[in-house]
Amino acid sequence: MEVPNQEIRLPLLDAKKISLSIKREDTLHPHISGNKFRKLKYNLLEAQKQGYTTLLTFGGAFSNHIAATAYAGKLQGFKTIGVIRGEELEAKWANNPTLSFAKAQGMEFHFISRQAYQEKNSEAFLKKLQQSFGVFYHLPEGGSNTLAVKGCEEILTEGDRHFDVVCSCVGTGGTLAGLINSKKANQKILGFTALQGGFLKNDIRKFAPQGGWTLQTDYHFGGYAKVTAPLIHFINDFKGQTGIPLDPVYTGKMLFGILDLVAKDYFKKGTKILAIHSGGLQGITGMNIRLKKKNLPTINV
Ligand SMILES: *Cc1c(COP(=O)(O)O)cnc(C)c1O
């Protein structure tokens, strides 16, 4: 599976003599977009091989992973169970575009409190879930495990070897780990974190022991799924100028960060950058509902 790299033309890039291309992983599949396709691929093959008939996973109200798992599971004939963060959603999931999409694919929901959700990786909690739902193949939150990283090692191809820097969004870090494992020796990987906190580095090292990568932690805009009016304006301007849609949780923040770093001369003249568009566009509808309620500008679709 290979997607095109699209070269971006912007006055800032010309002025700074920087080349920027975007790998359109968002175009991989209409409903299992970007890195979630990569992360599910080998997991679903493994689940099939081991004879599992049910997938169980975790996510929040706007989770791209929940939407992708629901769709991919249906496609491959699995029953899917989504353990959803936030008991209050039980009464109003139908108003949430991500959750109603997942439900329409046949996903069964189990809503739990934010506090209970913190136990999501504990053996005891998984055992309890088995008692309620029977045997299942467990996909961790965000889908990050060894097989997910293996799938993400297929994002970069031989045709990408001439890029100096590869940029990617970072949630749990599984995607970044795959890029680190598959990069060429001369390439640097730059990860843009979508949430606050410094706990990520060890998770990434667990899956990708070698160096050659750094994290940019200044572009989370207040934290996971937090947005500001300037970010929304940036996403709309970027789409107007390049035709490329960005999501507000991950790729919008990364592109904002890349162009900010270009403006601040972070990159040497002549640097060739490849940014991975990891998808996430399904979340825009739900985010726009939230933005309208808060009287903030909305994302053009
Ligand atoms: C899930 C997701 C990420 C984060 O990927 P990780 O492997 O968890 O770091 C990045 N971008 C998009 C669009 C996503 O949906």
Side-chain angles (χ1 to χ4, degrees), residues 53-56 73-74 77-81 106-108 133:
T53 56
T54 302
L55 306 173
L56 179 141
K74 184 178 91 166
F78 290 100
K79 181 179 166 193
T80 57
I81 298 165
M107 184 174 262
E108 183 183 328
F133 298 107

Side-chain angles (χ1 to χ4, degrees), residues 4-299:
N5 293 336
Q6 188 171 341
E7 180 151 15
I8 304 305
R9 301 304 305 265
L10 292 171
L12 171 70
L13 297 167
D14 288 343
K16 299 286 186 182
K17 306 252 181 316
I18 300 290
S19 121
L20 171 63
S21 295
I22 297 189
K23 187 176 281 295
R24 298 294 307 274
E25 291 274 300
D26 57 310
T27 63
L28 258 184
H29 188 283
H31 295 299
I32 319 168
S33 93
N35 63 350
K36 299 304 180 284
F37 184 100
R38 304 287 186 185
K39 295 172 90 168
L40 286 169
K41 177 179 160 187
Y42 289 109
N43 273 294
L44 266 54
L45 287 171
E46 183 64 20
Q48 247 154 10
K49 203 170 101 190
Q50 293 187 22
Y52 285 96
T53 56
T54 302
L55 306 173
L56 179 141
T57 195
F58 297 84
F62 296 99
S63 169
N64 297 321
H65 170 66
I66 286 289
T69 302
Y71 194 91
K74 184 178 91 166
L75 209 63
Q76 297 298 316
F78 290 100
K79 181 179 166 193
T80 57
I81 298 165
V83 180
I84 309 295
R85 177 173 167 272
E87 286 165 311
E88 76 284 358
L89 289 165
E90 178 141 32
K92 49 183 189 189
W93 63 262
N95 301 329
N96 175 301
T98 299
L99 296 181
S100 42
F101 172 82
K103 190 74 164 189
Q105 311 314 312
M107 184 174 262
E108 183 183 328
F109 293 141
H110 178 55
F111 296 93
I112 61 174
S113 71
R114 285 172 168 71
Q115 196 187 351
Y117 193 82
Q118 291 178 5
E119 298 297 307
K120 61 187 178 290
N121 290 324
S122 87
E123 282 299 322
F125 186 54
L126 290 170
K127 274 227 176 76
K128 237 170 65 191
L129 288 170
Q130 291 229 357
Q131 281 159 11
S132 311
F133 298 107
V135 176
F136 54 75
Y137 185 87
H138 167 225
L139 291 160
E141 181 185 48
S144 282
N145 57 17
T146 308
L147 290 174
V149 172
K150 179 179 169 185
C152 292
E153 290 169 5
E154 297 175 352
I155 295 173
L156 291 177
T157 67
E158 276 306 306
D160 300 327
R161 59 184 316 136
H162 64 287
F163 289 106
D164 306 304
V165 179
V166 177
C167 296
S168 174
C169 310
V170 180
T172 59
T175 305
L176 204 77
L179 294 170
I180 294 166
N181 289 342
S182 57
K183 79 180 189 67
K184 300 291 177 201
N186 60 305
Q187 293 179 320
K188 292 252 178 313
I189 308 286
L190 200 50
F192 290 79
T193 56
L195 21 85
Q196 266 174 315
F199 51 88
L200 267 168
K201 282 195 172 166
N202 289 332
D203 291 344
I204 296 170
R205 285 197 192 101
K206 205 170 69 189
F207 291 117
Q210 77 262 43
W213 58 277
T214 44
L215 293 182
Q216 285 294 332
T217 56
D218 293 337
Y219 299 104
H220 55 69
F221 287 81
Y224 183 73
K226 298 265 173 27
V227 296
T228 63
L231 176 68
I232 302 300
H233 289 309
F234 169 77
I235 288 171
N236 288 336
D237 288 347
F238 190 84
K239 188 177 176 199
Q241 286 171 308
T242 67
I244 299 179
L246 300 173
D247 84 291
V249 180
Y250 292 104
T251 55
K253 294 179 179 182
M254 171 182 68
L255 259 308
F256 186 104
I258 292 172
L259 293 176
D260 190 54
L261 291 175
V262 170
K264 290 174 174 160
D265 296 316
Y266 176 89
F267 301 104
K268 273 205 318 253
K269 229 188 238 174
T271 301
K272 294 188 182 64
I273 305 171
L274 178 68
I276 310 299
H277 193 319
S278 39
L281 302 173
Q282 69 82 30
I284 291 176
T285 319
M287 182 62 80
N288 274 345
I289 295 174
R290 205 163 91 185
L291 291 170
K292 255 188 215 134
K293 275 191 198 143
K294 292 186 177 175
N295 268 324
L296 281 165
T298 56
I299 301 163

